[in-house]
Amino acid sequence: MTRLDSAIRRLTAQRELLDWATGEIDDTGLVLEVGLGNGRTYDHLRDRLPGRRIYVFERTPAAHPACTPPDEFLVVGDICDTLPDFAQRFGSRSAALIHVDIGTGNEDLNRLLALRLSPLIETLLQPGGLLLADRALVMPNCTDVSSQTGVSKGRYFVYRRE
Ligand code: SAM
């Protein structure tokens, strides 16, 4: 498989999952996009969930202005700092859907961040809420439903809060 094939497969899986999840979630609850990057998946989410409140977390926002959320929905800073503040502000169990896409090329760093992130994310999910992540997280109060989504094993990780 070429790197182009691999990139296409990853993006296709991402789009399929976002489409699946937007059809699954409750009508109420916040949507959180963790990692704005180029704003591609944020743009997709806002298209699929018109009128929904989508908060976006990013350390260094640099997306094209057309794919950058309004200031009130952009949470700038390291998620290890901003997610706890956000949970204080909106309360735990306030999110219907969380999409985490913060991968770096450094696997050690990725693992460390996943461990720190897991409890922060799990706290924010409402019962029945979905987490889609580019890495496995440790979610003791969630069920791993990745295999129910049709996406190849290990490509993306999907959890539903009990
Ligand atoms: N989903 C995006 C898209 O479709 O364009 C791509 C996201 S990109 C792979 C990952 C983003 O996560 C980067 O913009 C990076 O700055 C951000 N990020 C990584 N670690 C972070 C952290 N600890 N706090 C906040 N943002 C972080």
Side-chain angles (χ1 to χ4, degrees), residues 15-55:
R15 185 180 58 190
E16 282 173 5
L17 270 182
L18 292 176
D19 286 345
W20 172 83
T22 53
E24 285 277 313
I25 56 171
D26 285 351
D27 290 340
T28 55
L30 303 174
V31 175
L32 311 186
E33 166 80 341
V34 181
L36 175 65
N38 292 320
R40 283 186 297 240
T41 47
Y42 164 65
D43 188 41
H44 198 76
L45 277 173
R46 72 179 170 179
D47 179 82
R48 295 300 192 264
L49 296 169
R52 197 90 188 228
R53 285 190 298 161
I54 305 176
Y55 285 89

Coordinates of all heavy atoms in Angstrom, one line a residue, residues 15-55:
R15 N -14.3 9.9 7.6 CA -15.6 10.4 7.1 C -16.7 9.4 7.4 O -17.8 9.8 7.9 CB -15.5 10.7 5.6 CG -16.8 11.3 5.1 CD -16.7 11.6 3.6 NE -16.5 10.4 2.9 CZ -16.2 10.4 1.6 NH1 -16.1 11.5 0.9 NH2 -16.0 9.2 1.0
E16 N -16.5 8.1 7.2 CA -17.5 7.1 7.4 C -18.0 7.1 8.9 O -19.1 7.1 9.2 CB -17.0 5.7 7.0 CG -17.1 5.5 5.5 CD -16.4 4.2 5.1 OE1 -16.0 3.4 6.0 OE2 -16.3 4.0 3.9
L17 N -17.0 7.2 9.8 CA -17.3 7.2 11.2 C -18.0 8.5 11.6 O -19.0 8.4 12.4 CB -16.0 7.1 12.0 CG -15.5 5.7 12.3 CD1 -14.3 5.8 13.2 CD2 -16.6 5.0 13.1
L18 N -17.6 9.6 11.1 CA -18.3 10.9 11.5 C -19.7 10.8 11.0 O -20.7 11.2 11.7 CB -17.6 12.1 10.9 CG -16.2 12.4 11.5 CD1 -15.6 13.6 10.8 CD2 -16.3 12.7 13.0
D19 N -20.0 10.3 9.8 CA -21.3 10.2 9.3 C -22.1 9.2 10.1 O -23.3 9.5 10.5 CB -21.3 9.7 7.8 CG -20.8 10.9 6.9 OD1 -20.8 12.0 7.3 OD2 -20.5 10.6 5.7
W20 N -21.5 8.1 10.5 CA -22.2 7.1 11.3 C -22.6 7.7 12.7 O -23.7 7.6 13.1 CB -21.3 5.9 11.5 CG -21.8 4.9 12.5 CD1 -22.8 3.9 12.3 CD2 -21.5 4.8 13.9 NE1 -23.0 3.2 13.4 CE2 -22.2 3.7 14.4 CE3 -20.6 5.5 14.7 CZ2 -22.1 3.3 15.8 CZ3 -20.5 5.1 16.0 CH2 -21.2 4.1 16.6
A21 N -21.6 8.4 13.3 CA -21.8 8.9 14.7 C -22.9 10.0 14.7 O -23.7 10.1 15.6 CB -20.5 9.4 15.2
T22 N -22.9 10.8 13.6 CA -23.8 12.0 13.6 C -25.3 11.4 13.5 O -26.2 12.1 13.9 CB -23.5 13.0 12.5 OG1 -23.4 12.3 11.3 CG2 -22.2 13.7 12.8
G23 N -25.4 10.2 13.0 CA -26.7 9.6 12.9 C -27.1 8.9 14.2 O -28.3 8.5 14.4
E24 N -26.2 8.6 15.0 CA -26.4 7.8 16.2 C -26.7 8.7 17.5 O -27.4 8.2 18.4 CB -25.1 7.0 16.6 CG -24.8 5.9 15.7 CD -25.6 4.6 16.1 OE1 -25.6 4.3 17.3 OE2 -26.2 4.0 15.2
I25 N -26.1 9.9 17.5 CA -26.2 10.6 18.8 C -27.5 11.2 19.1 O -28.3 11.4 18.2 CB -25.1 11.7 18.9 CG1 -25.2 12.7 17.7 CG2 -23.7 11.1 18.9 CD1 -24.3 13.9 17.8
D26 N -27.7 11.5 20.4 CA -29.0 12.2 20.8 C -29.0 13.6 20.3 O -28.0 14.2 19.9 CB -28.9 12.3 22.4 CG -29.2 11.0 23.1 OD1 -29.6 10.1 22.4 OD2 -29.0 11.0 24.3
D27 N -30.3 14.1 20.3 CA -30.5 15.5 19.8 C -29.9 16.6 20.7 O -29.7 17.7 20.3 CB -32.0 15.8 19.6 CG -32.5 14.9 18.5 OD1 -31.7 14.5 17.6 OD2 -33.8 14.7 18.4
T28 N -29.7 16.2 21.9 CA -29.1 17.2 22.9 C -27.7 16.8 23.3 O -27.3 15.6 23.2 CB -30.0 17.3 24.1 OG1 -30.1 16.0 24.7 CG2 -31.4 17.8 23.8
G29 N -27.0 17.8 23.7 CA -25.6 17.5 24.2 C -24.6 18.2 23.2 O -24.9 18.4 22.0
L30 N -23.5 18.6 23.8 CA -22.5 19.3 23.0 C -21.7 18.4 22.1 O -21.7 17.2 22.4 CB -21.5 20.0 24.0 CG -22.0 20.9 25.1 CD1 -20.9 21.4 26.0 CD2 -22.7 22.1 24.4
V31 N -21.1 19.0 21.1 CA -20.2 18.2 20.2 C -18.8 18.8 20.4 O -18.7 20.1 20.4 CB -20.7 18.3 18.8 CG1 -19.7 17.6 17.8 CG2 -22.0 17.7 18.6
L32 N -17.8 18.0 20.7 CA -16.5 18.5 20.9 C -15.5 17.9 19.8 O -15.5 16.7 19.6 CB -15.9 18.1 22.2 CG -16.8 18.4 23.5 CD1 -16.1 18.0 24.7 CD2 -17.3 19.8 23.5
E33 N -14.8 18.8 19.2 CA -13.8 18.4 18.2 C -12.5 18.7 18.8 O -12.1 19.9 19.1 CB -14.0 19.2 16.9 CG -12.9 19.2 15.9 CD -12.9 17.9 15.0 OE1 -13.5 16.9 15.4 OE2 -12.2 18.0 14.0
V34 N -11.7 17.7 19.1 CA -10.4 17.9 19.8 C -9.3 17.7 18.8 O -8.9 16.7 18.3 CB -10.3 16.8 20.9 CG1 -9.0 17.0 21.7 CG2 -11.5 17.0 21.9
G35 N -8.7 18.9 18.4 CA -7.6 19.0 17.4 C -8.2 19.5 16.1 O -8.8 18.8 15.3
L36 N -8.1 20.9 16.0 CA -8.7 21.5 14.8 C -7.9 21.2 13.5 O -8.4 20.9 12.5 CB -8.7 23.0 15.0 CG -9.2 23.9 13.8 CD1 -10.7 23.5 13.4 CD2 -9.0 25.4 14.0
G37 N -6.5 21.2 13.6 CA -5.7 21.0 12.5 C -6.1 21.9 11.3 O -6.2 23.1 11.5
N38 N -6.3 21.3 10.2 CA -6.7 22.0 9.0 C -8.2 22.4 9.0 O -8.7 23.0 8.0 CB -6.4 21.3 7.7 CG -4.9 21.1 7.5 OD1 -4.2 22.1 7.7 ND2 -4.5 20.0 7.1
G39 N -8.9 21.8 9.9 CA -10.4 22.1 10.0 C -11.2 21.2 9.1 O -12.4 21.4 9.0
R40 N -10.6 20.1 8.6 CA -11.4 19.3 7.7 C -12.5 18.6 8.4 O -13.7 18.6 7.9 CB -10.5 18.2 7.0 CG -9.6 18.8 5.9 CD -8.8 17.6 5.3 NE -8.0 17.0 6.2 CZ -6.6 16.9 6.1 NH1 -6.1 17.4 5.0 NH2 -5.9 16.3 7.0
T41 N -12.2 17.9 9.5 CA -13.3 17.2 10.2 C -14.2 18.1 10.9 O -15.4 17.8 11.0 CB -12.7 16.1 11.1 OG1 -11.7 16.7 11.9 CG2 -12.1 15.0 10.4
Y42 N -13.7 19.2 11.4 CA -14.7 20.2 12.0 C -15.7 20.7 10.9 O -16.9 20.7 11.2 CB -13.9 21.4 12.5 CG -14.8 22.6 12.7 CD1 -15.7 22.6 13.7 CD2 -14.6 23.8 12.0 CE1 -16.6 23.7 13.9 CE2 -15.5 24.9 12.2 CZ -16.4 24.8 13.1 OH -17.3 25.9 13.3
D43 N -15.2 21.0 9.7 CA -16.1 21.4 8.6 C -17.1 20.3 8.3 O -18.3 20.6 8.1 CB -15.2 21.7 7.4 CG -16.0 22.3 6.3 OD1 -16.8 23.2 6.6 OD2 -15.8 22.0 5.1
H44 N -16.7 19.1 8.3 CA -17.6 18.0 8.1 C -18.7 17.9 9.2 O -19.9 17.7 8.9 CB -16.8 16.7 8.0 CG -17.6 15.6 7.3 ND1 -17.8 15.6 5.9 CD2 -18.2 14.5 7.7 CE1 -18.5 14.5 5.6 NE2 -18.8 13.8 6.7
L45 N -18.2 18.0 10.4 CA -19.2 17.9 11.5 C -20.2 19.0 11.5 O -21.4 18.8 11.7 CB -18.4 17.9 12.8 CG -17.8 16.6 13.3 CD1 -16.9 16.9 14.6 CD2 -18.9 15.6 13.7
R46 N -19.8 20.2 11.2 CA -20.8 21.3 11.2 C -21.7 21.2 10.0 O -22.8 21.6 10.1 CB -20.1 22.7 11.3 CG -19.4 23.1 10.0 CD -18.7 24.4 10.1 NE -17.9 24.6 8.9 CZ -17.2 25.7 8.7 NH1 -17.2 26.7 9.5 NH2 -16.5 25.8 7.6
D47 N -21.2 20.6 8.9 CA -22.1 20.3 7.8 C -23.2 19.3 8.1 O -24.4 19.4 7.8 CB -21.3 19.9 6.6 CG -22.2 19.6 5.4 OD1 -22.6 20.5 4.7 OD2 -22.6 18.4 5.2
R48 N -22.8 18.2 8.8 CA -23.7 17.1 9.2 C -24.6 17.4 10.4 O -25.6 16.8 10.5 CB -22.9 15.8 9.5 CG -22.1 15.3 8.3 CD -23.0 14.9 7.1 NE -22.3 14.2 6.1 CZ -21.8 14.7 5.0 NH1 -21.8 16.0 4.8 NH2 -21.2 13.9 4.1
L49 N -24.1 18.4 11.2 CA -24.9 18.7 12.4 C -25.2 20.2 12.4 O -24.8 20.9 13.3 CB -24.1 18.3 13.6 CG -23.8 16.8 13.8 CD1 -22.8 16.6 14.9 CD2 -25.1 16.1 14.1
P50 N -26.0 20.7 11.4 CA -26.3 22.1 11.4 C -27.0 22.6 12.6 O -27.9 21.9 13.1 CB -27.2 22.3 10.1 CG -27.7 20.9 9.8 CD -26.7 19.9 10.4
G51 N -26.6 23.7 13.1 CA -27.2 24.3 14.3 C -26.8 23.8 15.6 O -27.1 24.3 16.7
R52 N -25.9 22.8 15.6 CA -25.5 22.1 16.8 C -24.3 22.9 17.4 O -23.5 23.5 16.6 CB -25.0 20.7 16.5 CG -24.9 19.8 17.6 CD -26.2 19.1 17.9 NE -26.1 18.4 19.1 CZ -26.5 17.1 19.2 NH1 -26.9 16.4 18.2 NH2 -26.4 16.5 20.4
R53 N -24.2 23.0 18.7 CA -23.0 23.7 19.3 C -21.8 22.8 19.2 O -21.8 21.7 19.9 CB -23.3 24.1 20.7 CG -24.3 25.3 20.8 CD -24.4 25.8 22.2 NE -24.9 24.8 23.1 CZ -24.8 24.9 24.4 NH1 -24.2 25.9 25.0 NH2 -25.4 23.9 25.2
I54 N -20.8 23.2 18.5 CA -19.6 22.4 18.3 C -18.4 23.2 18.9 O -18.0 24.3 18.3 CB -19.3 22.1 16.8 CG1 -20.5 21.4 16.2 CG2 -18.0 21.2 16.7 CD1 -20.4 21.1 14.7
Y55 N -17.8 22.7 19.9 CA -16.6 23.4 20.5 C -15.4 22.7 20.0 O -15.3 21.5 20.0 CB -16.7 23.3 22.1 CG -17.7 24.3 22.6 CD1 -19.0 23.9 22.8 CD2 -17.3 25.5 23.0 CE1 -20.0 24.8 23.3 CE2 -18.3 26.5 23.5 CZ -19.6 26.1 23.7 OH -20.5 26.9 24.1

